[in-house]
């Protein structure tokens, strides 16, 4: 085989999460009372626009979650025509599908810093100029030409501006037909064939009068393509977001950091939910000694600074990795195991808030008539908690999960910045910010690494927050009641 598939721990959990999401979608589609709140989410223009952005980030994360090791070429002494050896040697480096798609960015390192879209290095170096036009060979302190960025230009000072503008216009011209084809395909896939070819439907879409906010979705898709396509064309000739200290493309580092942020935000939830849901419902429904023990447990855990627990867990893992090197044959597997361990630690230290909230709701639900009727009929406590208490708390669980995602993404950046986050060899927004800490203090200041991490994190967190607000408004009964009263008051006025 030309490659050897590699399934990391986080890859397996991501595949499991995708299967769980597909099963959840299938279950929701079969029940009307579950479809109704999600349909309210789908009718929110802000939520659907944010979903387009989140879908782009998720696509990048999934492409970076399919890993493999490439086969090494045969030895130099192997005769041509001889049968291939049975035991194929594979490279130590673990690659992903995203690495193959971004190979033009990853395989073009410069010597050191370069500004976005630059053709010369950011700092002066001693450059040797050969003899030319009667002038002798000499060495001067100057900004050297980059090896890859703008290397196709004969005279960068004269041709750079026109080349960047022309490439950007080509990207815009290519993005428009791609948007048109994508819009038609998306509408055709989500609506009936009769609606997709109906002129009345497209006129209603243009006026924003469709039941689903198609205009907002297509506008968000257009803006995304108008940004992505020109950047993709420019990245083939330039370093669009510059390079870092060792010459790596910052755009490549930013895209590789997306998977780490998504893993932290989603897998931590898988660890947090069992503790929060089980202990919260038990404390609220069973009360008594069970409630006292659980309250004492999470109160004690809250009194310990979370950073200290995370640092202790990371140090314990580091000792385990150093004493068991055979368990991690590649650096990618070692870094991935540390990422998984960080998700587990974050989940253990962040479940107390949701647990306290579920306890308070369970205390109210256990006093309702249908729960007391089940108790009078002799239904077991575990069956009451699973059939009557848990379903009525799922809207709180769902709202908390969606809204905690952005907080976990930001937590990874902070933890990696202080040195107790992901492995230093793993690319993440936190490691980019940590590396930019010293770059901001040099002269001239290197600002683009920090700015790139900030912009990508802002887009991801903002999209997640907008979608979370729509989910909260659709699932929280108190918000729906308040909105209904407000509409009633307006009609009466």
């Amino acid at each position: 085989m030309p490659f050897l598939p590699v399934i990391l721990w986080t890859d397996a959990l991501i595949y499991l999460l995708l299967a769980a999401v597909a099963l959840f979608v299938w279950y929701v589609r079969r029940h009307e009372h579950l479809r109704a709140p999600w349909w309210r989410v789908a009718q929110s223009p802000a939520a659907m626009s944010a979903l387009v952005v989140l879908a782009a980030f998720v696509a990048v994360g999934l492409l970076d979650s399919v890993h493999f090791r490439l086969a090494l070429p045969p030895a130099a002494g192997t005769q041509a025509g001889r049968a291939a050896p049975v035991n194929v040697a594979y490279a130590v480096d673990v690659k992903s599908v995203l690495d193959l798609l971004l190979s033009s960015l990853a395989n073009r390192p410069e010597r050191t810093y370069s500004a976005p879209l630059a053709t010369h290095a950011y700092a002066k170096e001693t450059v040797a100029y050969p003899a030319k036009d009667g002038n002798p060979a000499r060495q001067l302190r100057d900004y050297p030409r980059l090896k890859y960025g703008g290397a196709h230009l004969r005279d960068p000072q004269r041709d750079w501006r026109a080349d960047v503008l022309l490439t950007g216009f080509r990207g815009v011209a290519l993005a428009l037909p791609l948007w048109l084809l994508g819009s038609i395909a998306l509408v055709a896939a989500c609506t009936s064939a009769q609606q997709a070819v109906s002129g009345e439907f497209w006129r209603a879409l243009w006026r924003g009068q469709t039941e689903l906010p198609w205009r907002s979705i297509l506008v968000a898709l257009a803006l995304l393509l108008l940004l992505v396509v020109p950047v993709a064309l420019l990245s083939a000739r330039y370093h669009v977001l510059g390079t870092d200290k060792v010459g790596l493309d910052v755009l490549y580092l930013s895209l590789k950091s997306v998977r780490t942020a998504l893993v932290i935000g989603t897998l931590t939830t898988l660890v947090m939910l069992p503790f929060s849901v089980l202990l919260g419902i038990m404390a609220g429904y069973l009360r008594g000694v069970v409630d006292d023990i659980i309250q004492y447990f999470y109160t004690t855990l809250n009194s310990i600074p979370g950073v200290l627990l995370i640092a202790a867990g990371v140090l314990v893992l580091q000792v385990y990795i150093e004493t068991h090197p055979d368990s991690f044959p590649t650096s990618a597997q070692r870094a991935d195991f540390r990422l998984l361990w960080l998700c587990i630690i974050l989940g253990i230290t962040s479940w107390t808030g949701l647990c306290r909230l579920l306890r308070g709701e369970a205390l109210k639900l256990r006093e309702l008539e249908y729960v007391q009727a089940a108790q009078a009929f002799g239904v077991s406590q575990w069956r009451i908690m699973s059939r009557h208490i848990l379903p009525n708390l799922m809207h709180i669980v769902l709202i908390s999960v969606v809204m905690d995602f952005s907080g976990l993404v930001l937590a990874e950046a902070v933890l990696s910045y202080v040195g107790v986050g992901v492995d230093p060899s793993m690319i993440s927004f936190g490691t980019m910010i940590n590396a930019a800490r010293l770059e901001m203090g040099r002269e001239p200041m290197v600002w683009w690494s920090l700015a790139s991490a900030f912009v990508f994190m802002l887009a991801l967190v903002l999209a997640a927050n907008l979608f979370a607000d729509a989910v909260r408004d659709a699932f929280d009964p108190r918000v729906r009641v308040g909105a209904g009263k407000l509409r009633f008051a307006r009609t009466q006025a």
Side-chain angles (χ1 to χ4, degrees):
M1 290 180 64
F3 61 90
L4 177 66
V6 176
I7 300 179
L8 303 176
W9 280 99
T10 54
D11 293 340
L13 291 176
I14 288 174
Y15 303 152
L16 180 63
L17 182 61
L18 287 177
V21 170
L23 183 62
F24 176 74
V25 171
W26 173 81
Y27 184 78
V28 168
R29 288 173 61 89
R30 291 171 57 90
H31 296 80
E32 178 64 28
H33 68 284
L34 296 177
R35 288 201 308 269
W38 283 110
W39 181 247
R40 288 193 291 270
V41 175
Q43 291 177 326
S44 170
M48 300 310 292
S49 300
L51 187 61
V52 173
V53 179
L54 286 177
F57 279 105
V58 171
V60 172
L62 292 179
L63 290 175
D64 203 16
S65 298
V66 181
H67 291 96
F68 53 85
R69 293 165 60 185
L70 295 173
L72 295 175
T78 304
Q79 297 180 1
R82 178 180 294 181
V86 177
N87 297 325
V88 180
Y90 294 94
V92 178
D93 295 336
V94 178
K95 301 292 185 180
S96 67
V97 175
L98 185 66
D99 290 325
L100 292 183
L101 296 177
L102 301 179
S103 58
S104 61
L105 299 179
N107 299 330
R108 296 188 307 164
E110 304 290 350
R111 291 184 58 185
T112 184
Y113 298 113
S114 64
L117 296 173
T119 58
H120 291 73
Y122 194 62
K124 286 186 177 182
E125 300 178 7
T126 302
V127 182
Y129 290 94
K132 184 179 180 180
D133 298 332
N135 296 321
R138 63 194 188 279
Q139 291 184 346
L140 297 176
R141 294 284 296 175
D142 200 355
Y143 299 100
R145 281 289 301 270
L146 297 178
K147 185 178 180 181
Y148 299 101
H152 63 289
L153 300 177
R154 292 185 178 180
D155 188 354
Q157 294 182 350
R158 182 191 62 189
D159 302 333
W160 174 82
R161 185 184 300 273
D163 184 71
V164 170
L165 292 177
L166 181 60
T167 306
F169 286 141
R170 288 174 181 171
V172 172
L174 180 59
L176 293 178
L178 287 178
W179 172 76
L180 183 60
L181 294 176
S183 301
I184 296 174
L186 185 61
V187 171
C190 298
T191 61
S192 62
Q194 183 177 2
Q195 279 185 326
V197 298
S198 173
E200 184 64 29
F201 171 78
W202 289 98
R203 284 190 293 270
L205 186 151
W206 176 258
R207 294 191 297 266
Q209 296 175 352
T210 54
E211 192 173 9
L212 195 68
W214 280 110
R215 186 173 66 175
S216 300
I217 296 173
L218 298 184
V219 168
L221 181 62
L223 294 177
L224 187 63
L225 289 176
L226 287 175
L227 176 64
V228 171
V229 177
V231 168
L233 295 182
L234 286 170
S235 63
R237 297 183 173 185
Y238 300 93
H239 300 288
V240 179
L241 298 180
T243 56
D244 64 356
K245 185 176 182 179
V246 296
L248 294 178
D249 192 279
V250 175
L251 177 59
Y252 170 76
L253 298 177
S254 301
L255 292 174
K256 289 286 290 183
S257 301
V258 171
R259 179 185 182 271
T260 306
L262 293 176
V263 167
I264 290 288
T266 55
L267 297 188
T268 302
T269 304
L270 296 180
V271 179
M272 177 184 67
L273 282 183
F275 293 98
S276 302
V277 175
L278 180 62
L279 297 181
I281 294 177
M282 288 177 60
Y285 180 77
L286 299 178
R287 297 192 302 183
V289 178
V290 176
D291 186 19
D292 294 339
I293 294 175
I294 294 175
Q295 283 193 76
Y296 178 80
F297 182 54
Y298 67 62
T299 302
T300 304
L301 188 61
N302 273 339
S303 64
I304 304 174
V307 177
L308 295 181
L309 291 177
I310 295 171
V314 170
L315 292 176
V316 170
L317 175 65
Q318 194 66 30
V319 172
Y320 176 81
I321 292 176
E322 292 177 356
T323 55
H324 299 81
D326 296 337
S327 301
F328 309 97
T330 62
S331 60
Q333 291 173 313
R334 182 185 68 246
D336 182 78
F337 190 75
R338 177 166 173 171
L339 175 62
L340 176 63
W341 186 254
L342 180 62
C343 293
I344 294 174
I345 299 173
L346 282 174
I348 293 175
T349 56
S350 60
W351 61 270
T352 56
L354 180 58
C355 178
R356 185 184 292 110
L357 183 61
L358 293 179
R359 172 187 172 272
E361 292 294 325
L363 284 172
K364 293 188 297 184
L365 290 176
R366 76 181 307 275
E367 302 299 333
L368 297 181
E369 290 81 359
Y370 64 89
V371 176
Q372 294 180 355
Q375 294 173 348
F377 279 106
V379 181
S380 64
Q381 292 180 338
W382 289 105
R383 186 171 180 83
I384 292 176
M385 287 188 289
S386 62
R387 294 297 299 273
H388 299 289
I389 304 295
L390 178 60
N392 289 282
L393 296 177
M394 286 308 297
H395 68 283
I396 299 177
V397 175
L398 186 60
I399 292 170
S400 299
V401 166
V402 177
M403 299 194 69
D404 287 346
F405 173 83
S406 56
L408 293 171
V409 172
L410 297 176
E412 182 275 325
V414 175
L415 293 174
S416 297
Y417 176 76
V418 299
V420 293
V422 299
D423 191 84
S425 63
M426 175 170 284
I427 303 173
S428 71
F429 293 125
T431 55
M432 289 181 63
I433 295 173
N434 189 26
R437 176 182 54 181
L438 299 178
E439 297 172 355
M440 296 294 291
R442 71 186 301 273
E443 182 63 34
M445 183 177 63
V446 178
W447 53 268
W448 47 86
S449 294
L450 181 62
S452 301
F454 172 77
V455 170
F456 272 80
M457 288 183 63
L458 176 65
L460 178 59
V461 172
L462 180 61
N465 285 341
L466 290 175
F467 188 75
D469 288 342
V471 172
R472 181 197 60 196
D473 295 342
F475 281 85
D476 194 344
R478 292 171 296 182
V479 174
R480 296 203 303 270
V481 171
K485 290 181 179 179
L486 180 61
R487 286 194 299 268
F488 178 76
R490 288 176 178 176
T491 57
Q492 293 298 319

